[in-house]
């Protein structure tokens, strides 16, 4: 059996078929934008396609070595050196996540801009929580059965590299929440994803990251938050930046499992 | 990489000394213009600094990581400019081979680069011209299958098949050569 047959036999679902049809383009990094999202989505849940892509990558990664070696202008090193120093000094100091920050920030002068940024985002986050809380106290057809308006939880998102951090504030029985994150790379695209207990995944929204690396936005999930086993923020290279399991809140009791019927996608 | 992540300029200089030639050569091959290639190299190294803490050698070598950043950024730039790079520059075609034994590059790095270049060139030489052409247009020029199909006035299905066969053969050839080497 050759590799071609292997791929054909692996195509067990529509998504696998789609993936096998586009896997060469993906390996070569030339997928069209509209196919990229579907491809990445499928890849995040399919170890077979991931393995196939990894095999192709071994050949693709060698392609750059085929080019003739050419020396750049000798002044390029100096230009890069100067630019590096310039950008390094202009870069805001990375802000550690709140749970680890106290010992590091205490005892040294924190740079004013990041602290301002962090402070403003955090204040905004609190205001947003308060507004959502007040909103849910108002009589409403939707909220009257399952929302008390007092069951707010704050979920701490775990960082994959211990540098970024984030929180989600939400009523677990609601579809709406507020996400706050910091120390993200603003040059990268970030997406908010969720996965339920049946391993169905949804891209919820793009996470808009400010130049300071902070982000705060309200997020509407397809289903009630308590129905997800994980909510995560993914970078455009397919790796997870932040994640949280919504059965672990940091400011209250563990939310009870929701008995409400998921609204579906 | 830890030192680079912490912003030490010596770490940046060392990274430049070790890998600037393959990164620049690849950038030049993709952009087709010296000035743009130099600009791209700077962006690549700055991105490498910003992401240095995320690099892990479990996912590949440092040079492969740098070249992967170069490729992604070049594709983005090419698409942003909505233009394609010129044909290979004269200096590329005249095989301006620089001795890798020159200053700033260790024998280890030299050996790795030479070995990989031999490996991939041998694999590419074995491809029929139409398959090689499709592979090069896709990887080095950032063209999608649809764009290649229009450029070569060839059905999309044929382009897909050529690309698939080219990559499979490359993969098999590389695996075979690696096995023989061991």
């Amino acid at each position: 059996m050759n590799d071609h047959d292997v791929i054909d036999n692996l195509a067990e679902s529509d998504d696998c078929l789609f993936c096998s049809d586009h896997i060469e383009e993906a390996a070569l990094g030339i997928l069209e934008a509209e196919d990229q999202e579907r491809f990445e989505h499928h890849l995040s849940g399919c170890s077979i396609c991931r393995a196939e892509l990894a095999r192709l990558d071994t050949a693709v990664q060698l392609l750059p070595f085929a080019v003739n070696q050419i020396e750049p202008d000798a002044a390029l090193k100096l230009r890069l050196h100067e630019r590096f120093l310039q950008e390094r000094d202009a870069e805001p100091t990375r802000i550690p996540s709140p749970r680890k920050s106290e010992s590091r920030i205490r005892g040294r002068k924190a740079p004013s801009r990041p602290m301002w940024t962090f402070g403003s985002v955090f204040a905004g986050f609190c205001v947003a929580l308060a507004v959502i809380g007040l909103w849910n106290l108002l009589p409403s057809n939707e909220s009257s059965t399952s929302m008390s308006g007092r069951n707010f939880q704050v979920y701490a998102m775990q960082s994959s590299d211990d540098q970024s951090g984030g929180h989600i504030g939400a009523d677990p029985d609601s579809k709406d929440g507020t996400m706050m994150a910091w120390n993200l790379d603003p040059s990268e695209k970030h997406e908010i994803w969720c996965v339920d207990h049946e391993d169905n995944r949804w891209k919820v929204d793009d996470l808009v990251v400010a130049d300071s690396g902070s982000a705060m936005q309200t997020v509407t999930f397809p289903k009630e938050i308590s129905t997800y086993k994980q909510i995560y923020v993914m970078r455009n290279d397919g790796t997870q930046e932040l994640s949280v399991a919504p059965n672990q809140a940091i400011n209250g009791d563990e939310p009870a499992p929701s008995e409400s019927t998921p609204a579906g996608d | 990489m830890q030192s680079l992540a912490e912003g030490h300029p010596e770490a940046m200089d060392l990274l430049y000394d070790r890998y600037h030639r393959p990164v620049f050569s690849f950038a030049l091959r993709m952009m087709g213009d010296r000035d743009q290639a130099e600009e791209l190299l700077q962006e690549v190294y700055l991105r490498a600094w910003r992401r240095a803490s995320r690099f892990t050698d479990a996912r590949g070598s440092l040079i492969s990581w740098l070249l992967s950043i170069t490729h992604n950024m070049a594709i983005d730039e090419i698409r942003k400019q909505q233009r394609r790079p010129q044909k290979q520059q004269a200096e590329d075609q005249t095989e301006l081979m620089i001795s890798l034994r020159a200053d700033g590059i260790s024998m280890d790095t030299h050996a790795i680069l030479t070995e990989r270049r031999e490996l991939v060139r041998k694999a590419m030489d074995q491809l029929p011209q139409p398959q090689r052409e499709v592979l090069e247009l896709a990887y080095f020029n950032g063209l999608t299958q649809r764009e290649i199909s229009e450029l070569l006035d060839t059905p999309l299905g044929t382009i897909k098949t050529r690309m698939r066969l080219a990559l499979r053969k490359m993969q098999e050839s590389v695996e075979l050569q690696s096995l023989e080497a061991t």
Side-chain angles (χ1 to χ4, degrees):
Chain A
M1 187 186 289
N2 63 30
D3 291 329
H4 212 142
D5 298 329
V6 172
I7 281 289
D8 291 340
N9 291 339
L10 292 179
E12 291 169 350
S13 68
D14 282 352
D15 274 349
C16 275
L17 272 174
F18 172 83
C19 215
S20 68
D21 194 39
H22 289 82
I23 203 157
E24 288 82 15
E25 282 185 287
L28 291 166
I30 53 158
L31 258 185
E32 293 188 57
E34 58 264 35
D35 295 327
Q36 184 77 31
E37 192 173 311
R38 185 175 172 191
F39 188 88
E40 285 175 2
H41 185 190
H42 173 66
L43 211 64
S44 64
C46 180
S47 57
I48 299 172
C49 288
R50 266 205 310 274
E52 185 54 30
L53 185 64
R55 283 192 72 198
L56 289 179
D57 268 348
T58 56
V60 171
Q61 282 190 7
L62 287 171
L63 287 172
F65 295 99
V67 302
N68 295 323
Q69 297 296 296
I70 294 167
E71 183 72 10
D73 190 314
L76 182 60
K77 182 177 179 181
L78 183 62
R79 292 211 302 275
L80 173 65
H81 186 92
E82 285 172 354
R83 200 167 151 196
F84 171 61
L85 292 179
Q86 200 177 359
E87 298 209 6
R88 183 198 64 177
D89 294 343
E91 185 91 350
T93 306
R94 288 197 165 252
I95 315 162
S97 65
R99 281 179 298 139
K100 298 175 181 176
S101 66
E102 290 180 11
S103 59
R104 279 200 263 177
I105 289 178
R106 207 179 292 144
R108 69 174 170 85
K109 262 190 181 172
S112 56
R113 184 181 163 199
M115 288 312 292
W116 264 108
T117 309
F118 178 77
S120 337
V121 171
F122 189 73
F125 181 64
C126 296
V127 169
L129 284 182
V131 169
I132 293 171
L134 288 172
W135 176 261
N136 284 317
L137 285 172
L138 296 173
S140 148
N141 288 340
E142 264 189 280
S143 63
S144 58
T145 54
S146 60
M147 287 184 173
S148 67
R150 284 172 293 191
N151 188 24
F152 274 94
Q153 306 287 333
V154 178
Y155 304 99
M157 303 188 80
Q158 302 300 312
S159 164
S160 59
D161 56 13
D162 280 340
Q163 291 201 3
S164 54
H167 284 159
I168 298 175
D171 180 332
D173 293 324
S174 158
K175 296 177 188 172
D176 299 314
T178 301
M179 181 177 287
M180 179 177 83
W182 53 88
N183 281 355
L184 303 173
D185 183 347
S187 66
E188 285 189 84
K189 189 180 164 201
H190 292 81
E191 296 173 346
I192 304 166
W193 286 73
C194 56
V195 51
D196 68 11
H197 292 278
E198 283 80 46
D199 281 334
N200 299 309
R201 286 166 200 273
W202 290 267
K203 179 190 167 186
V204 183
D205 204 350
D206 289 328
L207 182 64
V208 182
V209 180
D211 288 344
S212 62
S214 301
M216 192 191 77
Q217 69 191 62
T218 53
V219 183
T220 301
F221 293 87
K223 297 189 287 187
E224 289 77 6
I225 287 162
S226 59
T227 61
Y228 298 112
K229 77 174 175 190
Q230 195 188 28
I231 296 170
Y232 56 96
V233 172
M234 193 162 76
R235 300 182 197 106
N236 51 354
D237 62 3
T239 56
Q240 276 187 25
E241 173 102 37
L242 297 166
S243 68
V244 65
N247 60 351
Q248 294 166 343
I250 59 170
N251 73 331
D253 299 333
E254 274 204 359
S258 170
E259 292 177 7
S260 55
T261 309
D265 198 0
Chain B
M1 290 306 282
Q2 176 66 30
S3 182
L4 181 64
E6 288 167 3
H8 295 294
E10 311 80 46
M12 179 60 98
D13 289 347
L14 184 62
L15 193 68
Y16 181 89
D17 288 342
R18 279 202 184 156
Y19 300 122
H20 71 276
R21 283 195 193 99
V23 172
F24 175 74
S25 306
F26 183 39
L28 181 58
R29 176 68 179 81
M30 292 206 64
M31 303 308 298
D33 176 271
R34 242 180 189 278
D35 290 342
Q36 289 193 46
E38 290 189 356
E39 182 63 26
L40 180 62
L41 177 142
Q42 293 181 63
E43 296 296 338
V44 167
Y45 272 81
L46 290 171
R47 182 172 285 192
W49 154 56
R50 292 196 175 95
R51 297 184 178 182
S53 61
R54 296 182 198 164
F55 171 76
T56 158
D57 52 11
R59 290 172 65 184
S61 64
L62 185 51
I63 180 59
S64 292
W65 183 65
L66 280 174
L67 291 170
S68 159
I69 294 176
T70 310
H71 188 251
N72 290 339
M73 295 185 84
I75 295 273
D76 285 349
E77 187 58 30
I78 288 169
R79 289 186 176 170
K80 200 191 300 177
Q81 294 178 6
Q82 292 191 316
R83 63 148 189 74
R84 301 300 165 201
Q86 307 300 309
K87 287 279 179 192
Q88 289 181 333
Q89 286 199 325
E91 61 183 332
D92 195 8
Q93 289 170 338
T94 53
E95 302 266 332
L96 179 59
M97 298 294 289
I98 301 292
S99 167
L100 292 170
R101 291 167 200 272
D103 59 313
I105 190 159
S106 72
M107 290 302 287
D108 281 352
T109 309
H110 168 240
I112 291 167
L113 296 178
T114 306
E115 183 195 339
R116 290 186 184 179
R117 187 162 54 248
E118 288 303 312
L119 195 67
V120 70
R121 283 190 168 177
K122 220 179 262 183
M124 288 186 80
D125 285 347
Q126 289 171 7
L127 296 179
Q129 173 57 23
Q131 290 175 21
R132 184 177 168 150
E133 181 181 36
V134 166
L135 191 62
E136 291 192 351
L137 284 171
Y139 190 72
F140 292 112
N141 291 20
L143 295 180
T144 63
Q145 290 179 335
R146 201 176 307 278
E147 288 167 330
I148 297 172
S149 161
E150 285 165 11
L151 181 74
L152 301 180
D153 196 19
T154 305
L156 181 60
T158 307
I159 300 300
K160 278 179 181 283
T161 306
R162 286 180 188 169
M163 191 177 283
R164 170 163 291 200
L165 290 174
L167 265 184
R168 303 287 152 184
K169 283 182 190 166
M170 281 281 297
Q171 181 194 333
E172 282 167 12
S173 174
V174 165
E175 283 175 358
L176 191 66
Q177 289 183 65
S178 304
L179 275 177
E180 284 170 356
T182 55

